[in-house]
Amino acid sequence: MWFVMLFLGLAVFAALASLVVACERLGGIPP
Amino acid sequence: MMWTLPILVILGCALLSIPLGWYMAWAMNSDAPGVPGRLDSFVARLGGGRCGDSPRWHRYAMSMLVFNAVMFSVVFVIFTTQTWLPLNPDGKKNMSADLAYNTAASFTSNTNLQHYSGEQQLSCFSQLFAIMWLQFVSAATGIAALAALCRGLSGKPAIGNFYRDLARATVLVLLPLAAIVALGLVLCGTPMTLQGSAVATTLEGLTQTISRGPVAAVVAIKQIGTNGGGYFGPNSTHPFENPNFVSNIIQNASIILIPMAAVWMFGRIVGSWKQAAVVFAVMGVLYAGLVGTAVVTEQAPTAALAGLPVQEAMNLEGKELRFGSSAGPLWAVSTTATSNGSVNAMHDSLNPLTGMMPMIGMWLNVAFGGVGVGFINMFLYIITAVFIAGMMVGRTPEYLGKKIEAREMKFALLALLAHPLFILGGVAIFAATPWGQSTTQDPGPHGLSEIVYEFSSAAANNGSGFEGLGDNTPPWNIATGTVMLLARFIPIILPLAIAGSLASKKRLAESAGTFRTDGVFFGVILTGVVLIIGALLFLPLGVLGPVAEHLAVIRGSGVP
């Protein structure tokens, strides 16, 4: 249970990082 | 008399917020050498010289996520190993994994939703180095994100460096303010000690254990950083956390001061006081409206005492009378409109319609909102309002000279719709399954309100509880923990993406076709957009919960 909870938290942060990458590819980057 | 305290607190904070906002802009955005420069050099040395400004928003966002993921992991380990760590004079046991997950997510996300009781389940080490540390850096994360957004909007070539902004927000903004507030609380009688519980012998000869600890330090940053997590389970209703009328005013003012100042900080950085004044006025109208309604609706006596041989002028159930009669509803709105979450009265005991005001505060999440993120949330509504108004009157949708196009609108609407999705989705699942049904204290509309409040609190990163709900169960801990993390960072990442997108565009010169966003007309439109998008999405929940309960009281069928 200990590892499951820790990895769940890290998985949420990984999902948020994916959102950043997706937004960047959609073009939210200054030239 | 009932209006004296609300007027004193709101007007006093509005006036104080102007110089504080000016100071925050200097602290976060000054390029001049001096204290900020020396702090930057220190951070750069810590980072091995890799702490320069980044022009790319996604690097800033990634730094923020990496920092917060590390903080989450470290405090999770602290909570689950505190028995073996130092500063545990009362021999507190380790937290269970699901409760530690919820608590780590709660404090990393600046929510401070507490499914535990601090004085029973946390050691001094956990209170100081996990809870209080996160109360500083999670609030600093919000201020840093706002500073980055403002730079993106102001046309600066670089959006900044997250670690540098984090250090500036912590050391130059939060630490000095927390020290001042903590000193005031100690003078009011709040304990500040590293000794364990005191053991006293009562008049009957029994032994009583009285919890104490570094309470003033924890309570100061709890309020200043819109954190809300108390040292004691009963939060600011506890006489050690909030001893008297003066400490109550200090704490209530501390809750809304930085969220108000953040608006002026935005105005200073983007160089337009008029833009800031419009946003401040809209937030102020929403906030004052909620406070006014809550104070008025709380004047009716509670239905819980109906038929009993007692005389009540107003609802005094669940109130701390040492703070005054209007202190409960004022605090209830302040703490929920600003994503603070601390309480000085039992929200479960509020009259049904009064209890809806805190919920509306959390649903809107922009009546000043959390530290830094309150303005960021309002920025999403601003983008939407500019686009809608521009389309309606045939003007070019622009904000601060930058054209708002489909890409920015997609990001804004994604962020705005995430909030109701977390609340409505969570409520639907828990109201329909034993995960939620078996944990409510009351059946019927009030039981639904308990579930709605819990998910609203988690999604708004608020942390207050309706109480009565048995929320320390694995389903509640995991569901609200996950919602808190997602609801914290999605509405930061997407506005940063918008700022990055706008920063890449050329600033357009103002023309006859420009739709002005610094006047009363835009303020009215912005208020309408907030109410239509923010409030109407939650109308069914309001009707099925608090409104149904209110009508049952009027009809005489009573409260379950």
Side-chain angles (χ1 to χ4, degrees):
Chain A
M1 189 67 171
W2 191 90
F3 282 106
V4 172
M5 289 295 103
L6 181 60
F7 282 119
L8 176 61
L10 293 176
V12 173
F13 279 103
L16 290 164
S18 309
L19 177 67
V20 173
V21 174
C23 291
E24 179 207 352
R25 290 195 179 158
L26 277 172
I29 325 165
Chain B
M1 277 300 285
M2 73 178 184
W3 294 107
T4 310
L5 182 68
I7 291 170
L8 184 75
V9 170
I10 294 173
L11 285 184
C13 288
L15 289 174
L16 275 177
S17 69
I18 298 171
L20 180 62
W22 193 296
Y23 168 77
M24 283 169 62
W26 170 82
M28 297 305 297
N29 212 40
S30 169
D31 293 327
V35 179
R38 280 201 289 278
L39 192 62
D40 292 349
S41 306
F42 176 71
V43 174
R45 277 203 299 279
L46 278 182
R50 293 190 298 270
C51 276
D53 275 337
S54 171
R56 302 167 79 98
W57 75 272
H58 77 277
R59 279 197 194 158
Y60 196 97
M62 281 297 191
S63 301
M64 177 186 71
L65 290 177
V66 167
F67 175 81
N68 280 280
V70 171
M71 289 301 109
F72 169 87
S73 307
V74 170
V75 297
F76 178 84
V77 171
I78 290 176
F79 292 146
T80 49
T81 58
Q82 62 178 357
T83 298
W84 308 299
L85 296 174
L87 289 176
N88 188 12
D90 297 321
K92 300 284 164 50
K93 293 194 168 56
N94 294 333
M95 266 189 182
S96 65
D98 59 295
L99 182 58
Y101 170 77
N102 185 276
T103 309
S106 173
F107 283 82
T108 304
S109 62
N110 195 245
T111 308
N112 294 209
L113 188 74
Q114 292 173 293
H115 286 180
Y116 66 95
S117 193
E119 73 271 34
Q120 289 173 15
Q121 286 167 282
L122 286 183
S123 67
C124 285
F125 188 89
S126 294
Q127 290 274 17
L128 286 172
F129 298 106
I131 297 290
M132 208 167 86
W133 164 253
L134 280 182
Q135 286 186 327
F136 273 100
V137 296
S138 66
T141 297
I143 298 175
L146 175 60
L149 180 80
C150 293
R151 287 188 207 107
L153 295 176
S154 70
K156 277 199 165 191
I159 211 156
N161 178 287
F162 172 74
Y163 295 103
R164 218 171 53 193
D165 285 346
L166 187 80
R168 283 187 177 209
T170 306
V171 177
L172 299 179
V173 179
L174 295 171
L175 264 176
L177 285 173
I180 294 168
V181 172
L183 186 64
L185 292 177
V186 168
L187 290 174
C188 289
T190 304
M192 183 66 207
T193 175
L194 288 179
Q195 292 178 338
S197 303
V199 179
T201 305
T202 65
L203 288 174
E204 292 87 3
L206 299 172
T207 302
Q208 185 181 6
T209 305
I210 302 169
S211 288
R212 59 183 181 176
V215 185
V218 173
V219 173
I221 187 59
K222 145 189 144 176
Q223 306 299 26
I224 278 292
T226 60
N227 289 287
Y231 192 90
F232 299 101
N235 212 283
S236 286
T237 60
H238 195 292
F240 280 1
E241 280 207 27
N242 195 3
N244 53 42
F245 181 74
V246 177
S247 67
N248 190 65
I249 290 184
I250 292 174
Q251 290 190 41
N252 205 329
S254 303
I255 290 173
I256 54 174
L257 195 53
I258 293 188
M260 281 183 170
V263 182
W264 301 118
M265 171 182 143
F266 155 78
R268 181 83 173 148
I269 294 178
V270 301
S272 174
W273 283 103
K274 270 184 160 182
Q275 302 278 358
V278 169
V279 177
F280 192 93
V282 172
M283 289 177 160
V285 165
L286 294 171
Y287 174 67
L290 290 172
V291 169
T293 310
V295 170
V296 169
T297 52
E298 203 58 2
Q299 296 309 305
T302 175
L305 299 183
L308 295 178
V310 291
Q311 188 178 15
E312 256 196 308
M314 63 170 291
N315 180 7
L316 295 178
E317 193 202 52
K319 304 276 189 317
E320 292 295 315
L321 295 182
R322 64 186 189 278
F323 303 144
S325 60
S326 57
L330 169 66
W331 186 300
V333 170
S334 302
T335 192
T336 45
T338 61
S339 94
N340 179 284
S342 63
V343 292
N344 78 343
M346 187 65 100
H347 288 195
D348 193 41
S349 297
L350 297 171
N351 283 332
L353 289 186
T354 317
M356 193 165 73
M357 296 307 116
M359 289 192 215
I360 292 175
M362 293 188 286
W363 294 339
L364 299 181
N365 219 8
V366 293
F368 293 109
V371 167
V373 292
F375 184 87
I376 294 177
N377 286 335
M378 184 55 105
F379 172 68
L380 296 169
Y381 284 110
I382 291 172
I383 294 290
T384 311
V386 165
F387 195 81
I388 291 172
M391 292 295 106
M392 282 170 67
V393 298
R395 303 281 181 96
T396 315
E398 291 169 21
Y399 189 59
L400 298 171
K402 301 294 177 86
K403 208 181 239 183
I404 308 294
E405 294 173 292
R407 191 168 58 195
E408 289 81 28
M409 276 307 296
K410 284 175 190 165
F411 288 150
L413 288 179
L414 262 179
L416 283 176
L417 291 177
H419 186 58
L421 179 71
F422 292 136
I423 297 175
L424 300 177
V427 170
I429 293 169
F430 273 66
T433 61
W435 290 348
Q437 289 171 357
S438 63
T439 56
T440 55
Q441 179 177 264
D442 306 286
H446 199 80
L448 178 67
S449 292
E450 289 172 14
I451 296 176
V452 171
Y453 197 102
E454 188 73 0
F455 272 106
S456 301
S457 182
N461 290 148
N462 183 268
S464 63
F466 221 39
E467 302 313 331
L469 188 72
D471 48 19
N472 185 14
T473 61
W476 273 117
N477 285 336
I478 294 169
T480 52
T482 307
V483 164
M484 285 187 277
L485 288 176
L486 292 172
R488 167 67 167 176
F489 293 105
I490 288 175
I492 291 181
I493 291 168
L494 292 170
L496 281 180
I498 296 172
S501 175
L502 293 179
S504 66
K505 296 181 180 181
K506 270 176 80 175
R507 187 177 285 274
L508 303 170
E510 202 172 287
S511 69
T514 304
F515 180 72
R516 296 191 69 87
T517 54
D518 57 358
V520 177
F521 184 56
F522 180 69
V524 173
I525 289 175
L526 183 57
T527 310
V529 167
V530 169
L531 291 176
I532 290 168
I533 295 180
L536 283 188
L537 281 169
F538 298 100
L539 186 65
L541 278 185
V543 169
L544 290 173
V547 173
E549 191 183 342
H550 176 72
L551 295 176
V553 171
I554 291 177
R555 196 165 158 247
S557 54
V559 185

